[in-house]
Amino acid sequence: MSRHPTIKQLRYLCAVVEHGHFGRAARACHVSQSTLSAGILELEEVLGASLLERNNRSLVLTSLGEEVVERARGLLLDVEDLVALCQASAEPLSGRLRLGVIPTIAPFLLPGLLKSLRNDYPDFTPFIREDLTEPLIEALHRGELDLLLLALPVMAEGVESMHLFDDPFYLASPLDHPLASQPDLSTDSLEGQELLLLEDGHCLRDHALEACKLRGSQYTVPYQATSLTTVVQMVASGIGVTLVPGMAVTAGALASPDVIVTPFADASVKRDIGLMWRKKTPRQAEFRLLGDYIIARQAS
């Protein structure tokens, strides 16, 4: 009887390709480097083909190795889904969940949500990864994450999403700014303003500009930051104004005596918060159950 590759061998190969280094891949797999190297050599022996070109400086996949890795990733995802299917069938929201969350949601929504889940579902164990939207989607496709909590819409293939709730945008401005006391604030009022924004790559930036229907010629950007906290500090210093999500306001993240928060008259100035998962996952029912839980909690 011919031998077949093992799940462990395929996981070792994919880890080496992902990390580009045997040592880092071994640490990620929680094995010694010699164990990981031996596993990949055994895989090549079983397949009767060379998958990696090794030298002192880098690791390069052979053309056959590239195809093997692509198929191996699909097989590993299927195995993860098989295990998840059995766990979910026993009792939903009772096992492990690898959840990816964007930075402009995580600090405002997760603390209360995780505490509530811990009380209502004590056997549910979420592991959280906070990152920007694009890296999270890549991790979802690789099977490193099961579910994403992010702002929609997002252009991605092979996924499904569930809308949870609307998160309105507010204008944060210095106390003496002319817009701070405007009663019926409209997005037209932002034209010509110095608008503080997050750096490129943060979906909050794109969604805020889209919600306000602002073009680059209508505002100036004197400062870009990597975090919403820094942006608000710049507002407090009188450098400009910014758009902040409602959940940050509710969470008290803008509690500064030098900043005033003003709502927009137009209720469409908002972002959509939702969940996203792989289409082929067998845990869709469980994810929708979690989504309904979040919706009910937001409504209460």
Side-chain angles (χ1 to χ4, degrees):
M1 180 181 292
S2 60
R3 297 169 59 197
H4 292 86
T6 66
I7 297 299
K8 185 179 295 184
Q9 291 166 349
L10 296 177
R11 185 169 286 116
Y12 288 170
L13 174 66
C14 291
V16 166
V17 174
E18 179 186 347
H19 295 279
H21 187 273
F22 275 91
R24 289 192 292 269
R27 287 192 291 273
C29 294
H30 306 289
V31 297
S32 67
Q33 185 170 335
S34 60
T35 297
L36 182 132
S37 299
I40 294 178
L41 287 173
E42 290 171 1
L43 175 62
E44 291 179 318
E45 181 183 342
V46 168
L47 297 177
S50 176
L51 305 177
L52 292 171
E53 296 177 6
R54 302 164 176 84
N55 58 50
N56 293 332
R57 294 186 177 180
S58 63
L59 294 170
V60 180
L61 278 172
T62 64
S63 57
L64 179 60
E66 291 178 357
E67 185 171 349
V68 170
V69 167
E70 183 178 351
R71 296 192 178 216
R73 283 172 173 161
L75 288 170
L76 291 173
L77 272 178
D78 288 341
V79 170
E80 289 278 351
D81 287 343
L82 177 66
V83 173
L85 174 64
C86 296
Q87 290 177 338
S89 66
E91 185 179 352
L93 298 181
S94 62
R96 184 183 71 160
L97 175 72
R98 297 168 301 177
L99 178 65
V101 191
I102 59 174
T104 54
I105 291 179
F108 314 123
L109 187 64
L110 284 188
L113 175 62
L114 294 179
K115 181 179 180 180
S116 181
L117 283 169
R118 196 160 48 242
N119 291 333
D120 295 337
Y121 298 94
D123 296 327
F124 183 51
T125 310
F127 294 89
I128 309 300
R129 180 190 297 187
E130 184 178 325
D131 208 335
L132 300 183
T133 300
E134 188 173 337
L136 289 180
I137 292 176
E138 292 173 356
L140 181 70
H141 284 312
R142 289 196 301 266
E144 297 171 8
L145 295 172
D146 305 308
L147 182 67
L148 304 183
L149 176 58
L150 70 180
L152 301 172
V154 175
M155 297 298 295
E157 296 182 354
V159 298
E160 290 187 1
S161 60
M162 176 183 181
H163 171 76
L164 299 178
F165 59 90
D166 294 334
D167 187 29
F169 282 110
Y170 289 76
L171 180 72
S173 57
L175 288 177
D176 58 353
H177 196 278
L179 295 181
S181 57
Q182 190 164 320
D184 295 315
L185 182 64
S186 70
T187 56
D188 293 338
S189 303
L190 298 179
E191 188 167 349
Q193 295 294 327
E194 291 189 324
L195 191 58
L196 304 171
L197 297 171
L198 293 175
E199 291 181 339
D200 288 334
H202 287 266
C203 65
L204 180 67
R205 172 196 179 106
D206 299 331
H207 288 155
L209 293 176
E210 183 179 348
C212 293
K213 299 178 176 60
L214 289 174
R215 299 186 302 275
S217 60
Q218 295 177 298
Y219 59 90
T220 58
V221 183
Y223 186 89
Q224 296 184 92
T226 57
S227 75
L228 189 59
T229 301
T230 304
V231 171
V232 173
Q233 289 173 347
M234 295 300 103
V235 172
S237 300
I239 295 177
V241 300
T242 193
L243 296 162
V244 294
M247 64 172 65
V249 177
T250 302
L254 279 78
S256 169
D258 300 314
V259 175
I260 187 167
V261 177
T262 309
F264 286 93
D266 186 352
S268 68
V269 184
K270 61 181 177 60
R271 62 174 181 168
D272 299 335
I273 306 301
L275 296 175
M276 178 177 288
W277 58 80
R278 296 186 302 276
K279 276 186 177 180
K280 293 183 178 180
T281 180
R283 302 178 68 180
Q284 291 194 34
E286 183 181 22
F287 296 160
R288 291 191 180 279
L289 176 63
L290 177 60
D292 289 338
Y293 182 89
I294 296 173
I295 291 171
R297 192 174 180 280
Q298 287 297 119
S300 62

